[in-house]
Amino acid sequence: MDDDEPMTVSRLFQLTGLTSSRAEAYRVIRAGGAYLNNRKITPPDELVFDSDVLHGKYLILRKGKRNVAAVELTD
């Protein structure tokens, strides 16, 4: 993957294994079943910003009601 590529929610869903591909992530987001920090994601290409990071280093992703992934950002 290109490190210069902006980090999108759909890319995070794929990287964490919540979805097997970005196309699947797009489908989940369009269906209304994707959440970032318990906030529903609507555009599939939504970017992740510094303001989305919890306690300076965490992101919580959720697909549906029970599939959850945590992302810890490191330097």
Side-chain angles (χ1 to χ4, degrees):
M1 282 191 202
D2 185 9
D3 288 334
D4 294 333
E5 183 178 350
M7 187 56 68
T8 61
V9 176
S10 59
R11 183 176 178 204
L12 276 176
F13 267 73
Q14 180 189 13
L15 291 173
T16 59
L18 284 174
T19 60
S20 59
S21 67
R22 243 189 258 183
E24 182 185 352
Y26 272 54
R27 285 191 294 274
V28 169
I29 293 167
R30 285 190 183 117
Y35 299 85
L36 173 63
N37 298 334
N38 214 28
R39 177 179 55 86
K40 187 180 277 194
I41 302 302
T42 48
D45 54 355
E46 182 171 324
L47 295 174
V48 177
F49 294 103
D50 290 339
S51 61
D52 294 319
V53 179
L54 302 173
H55 299 287
K57 65 181 191 176
Y58 300 106
L59 295 168
I60 306 298
L61 301 170
R62 181 165 52 100
K63 180 179 106 176
K65 290 185 178 182
R66 297 188 178 141
N67 297 308
V68 178
V71 177
E72 181 177 7
L73 305 175
T74 59
D75 294 330

